[in-house]
Amino acid sequence: MKATWDIFCTVVDNFGDIGVTWRLARQLAAEHDYAVRLWVDDLRAFEHLCPAIDAELDRQRQRGVEVRRWSTPWAPVEAADVVIAAFACALPHDYMESMAGRDKEPLWLNLDYLSAEDWIVGCHGLPSVKFRQVQKFFFFPGFQPGTGGLLREAGLLEQRRAFVQDPRARGDFLRGLGVDPTDGARLISLFAYENDGLASWLDALASDTRPTQLLVPEGRILVDVQRWLGTKDMAAGAREVRGSLTVQVLPFVPQEDYDRLLWSCDFNAVRGEDSFVRAQWAGRPLLWHIYRQEDDVHLDKLEAFLELYSQGLSAPAKAAFEGWWRAWNRAGDMAPSWKAVLENERELAEHAERWSLEQASRTDLATALVKLYLNWI
Ligand code: TRH
């Protein structure tokens, strides 16, 4: 009998919680053939990533995964062999009783947030709390050996390579989104939180000699884009031109299409956790808008990633890249660092490709979980 897996997801805000758990659930079912239930407390948020979701249903099958509404009060179910609480969400008490009542206790894990900080390596796999006799363990995704790795589907980089080597596929994909790629124009995707630094970047792009097409999926940064443009109510399909810059609003697309968008662009501005990882798999220079945390602790996470990522860059490319990221995350003036990034564009592009290959040489997160489970039994 194949093992059963329960993944629990509370949608705190935005799309990262559901984005990560949906991706993991799909991969465990498709590549490892497990019976996976994904418990989600907000099916409306889920609908954005997977339009086939019917938010009215308590139970449905999507892409080989049993999607269940995490309802309150909780209706009793038998606990699975592996239980994953994503991002420290608290499981229903009755469900934990069911875990404790099993003949063989389940493997209970807390899937934590991604970080490049050094302490992650020491804490990955350590015991956390207990419920009766059932022990919970920390599982930390990460970039370094000794962590839980990154989510990466089998064959992802090969798919990306095939796509970028086929200009027709790229052109068809972009046109399907309503984007007409202009010859010689730089393509940038922009997915970010609100950011006061945006105006200085858009000023620089508008006054550049080379044209830029900026593709903005509907979302939070659009407020600042519109303020800069002096427009309102822009929705998917809207397009505005200022100098060398064309701004185009895109619909929020399913996850696979978002990957293709990242593969199609020269630069990708991403945020949070999951899009941040997808942009790394795209092998293109990326700009990360990190999720803000109290007391600016997110800035330590940012620096930890920069330290790791920048290894191997020449001094000017490193300074350009780090300056660009710091300006973005402190809402500073983007113009000087963007200029420096363009001066080092080729090196940064090669580095991004190298980084994606190096990260892809490590065990992916779903496989690491499966190995952990197989060792456990
Ligand atoms: O939405 P986010 O800001 O999520 C955040 C982070 O996960 C953060 O760490 C967490 O604490 C907070 O939520 C609660 O960014 P993230 O993680 O990139 O998730 C976005 C998801 O949306 C990701 O799976 C990619 C997906 N996406 C699409 O599928 N289509 C789109 O068009 C776009 C723009 C994104």
Side-chain angles (χ1 to χ4, degrees):
M1 274 269 285
K2 270 280 184 181
T4 54
W5 293 59
D6 273 332
I7 303 175
F8 285 85
C9 171
T10 49
V11 176
V12 179
D13 59 3
N14 304 309
F15 302 107
D17 311 296
I18 184 62
V20 167
T21 50
W22 171 227
R23 197 181 287 293
L24 172 63
R26 274 189 340 247
Q27 203 183 335
L28 287 168
E31 294 175 23
H32 301 278
D33 201 25
Y34 287 121
V36 184
R37 288 187 297 204
L38 174 59
W39 299 88
V40 185
D41 69 345
D42 180 354
L43 293 173
R44 295 267 169 227
F46 197 171
E47 239 180 335
H48 279 87
L49 303 188
C50 174
I53 286 288
D54 184 341
E56 301 302 322
L57 293 180
D58 289 340
R59 185 178 183 157
Q60 57 196 296
R61 258 200 112 64
Q62 296 289 350
R63 314 272 299 272
V65 174
E66 188 178 333
V67 175
R68 301 285 290 261
R69 184 194 306 283
W70 180 344
S71 53
T72 319
W74 178 256
V77 293
E78 217 171 283
D81 299 312
V82 187
V83 180
I84 298 179
F87 311 123
C89 67
L91 301 188
H93 187 268
D94 286 355
Y95 185 86
M96 293 198 288
E97 289 290 1
S98 165
M99 295 194 324
R102 283 173 49 110
D103 291 342
K104 163 104 178 88
E105 61 197 55
L107 173 60
W108 181 21
L109 299 166
N110 182 57
L111 173 63
D112 237 288
Y113 288 105
L114 171 65
S115 174
E117 290 161 297
D118 283 340
W119 61 265
I120 297 298
V121 180
C123 292
H124 175 61
L126 287 187
S128 163
V129 293
K130 257 188 173 176
F131 180 78
R132 306 204 193 289
Q133 80 287 10
V134 189
Q135 179 70 60
K136 186 177 180 183
F137 295 92
F138 291 111
F139 188 96
F140 280 97
F143 305 93
Q144 312 194 59
T147 67
L150 301 173
L151 277 171
R152 173 174 42 83
E153 301 83 341
L156 180 70
L157 266 65
E158 292 74 10
Q159 273 180 47
R160 191 250 290 175
R161 202 164 299 127
F163 181 84
V164 299
Q165 284 172 358
D166 182 354
R168 178 117 58 94
R170 179 175 176 273
D172 288 349
F173 168 72
L174 288 170
R175 275 186 289 278
L177 286 180
V179 178
D180 206 1
T182 313
D183 271 350
R186 178 189 299 125
L187 222 54
I188 303 180
S189 75
L190 174 61
F191 180 48
Y193 308 113
E194 297 79 0
N195 193 324
D196 287 341
L198 180 72
S200 59
W201 192 19
L202 299 188
D203 284 340
L205 292 171
S207 60
D208 197 351
T209 46
R210 184 174 167 199
T212 295
Q213 286 178 277
L214 184 72
L215 308 179
V216 192
E218 282 179 307
R220 291 172 57 175
I221 190 73
L222 207 49
V223 179
D224 296 311
V225 172
Q226 292 183 125
R227 185 175 309 117
W228 182 82
L229 287 166
T231 54
K232 278 204 292 211
D233 304 327
M234 286 177 84
R239 198 168 160 274
E240 294 279 339
V241 180
R242 301 286 184 279
S244 295
L245 175 64
T246 303
V247 177
Q248 184 159 352
V249 182
L250 302 185
F252 196 94
V253 293
Q255 279 182 327
E256 286 82 359
D257 282 345
Y258 184 59
D259 278 336
R260 288 189 196 98
L261 176 66
L262 297 172
W263 300 345
S264 300
C265 289
D266 302 300
F267 292 90
N268 293 300
V270 287
R271 71 184 204 193
E273 177 156 334
D274 193 51
S275 58
F276 172 49
V277 173
R278 304 315 283 185
Q280 292 171 58
W281 297 138
R284 301 283 161 85
L286 70 157
L287 176 63
W288 185 25
H289 202 186
I290 192 168
Y291 187 78
R292 271 189 106 96
Q293 289 175 281
E294 260 173 51
D295 301 326
D296 282 348
V297 290
H298 60 284
L299 294 178
D300 294 337
K301 272 171 106 171
L302 186 86
E303 291 302 323
F305 181 79
L306 280 176
E307 195 180 324
L308 211 58
Y309 183 88
S310 299
Q311 283 171 21
L313 282 174
S314 69
K318 178 172 153 68
F321 190 76
E322 293 184 351
W324 190 39
W325 277 39
R326 289 184 186 125
W328 190 231
N329 282 286
R330 291 169 194 271
D333 181 1
M334 296 287 284
S337 58
W338 174 241
K339 182 169 174 284
V341 162
L342 291 182
E343 283 160 9
N344 293 277
E345 184 173 351
R346 176 186 278 236
E347 183 182 339
L348 289 171
E350 286 168 1
H351 186 78
E353 176 67 25
R354 225 176 11 252
W355 171 265
S356 79
L357 295 178
E358 185 194 319
Q359 288 299 320
S361 69
R362 304 199 203 290
T363 306
D364 70 90
L365 190 150
T367 303
L369 278 171
V370 170
K371 283 188 175 162
L372 191 70
Y373 170 66
L374 295 176
N375 284 337
W376 163 266
I377 52 170

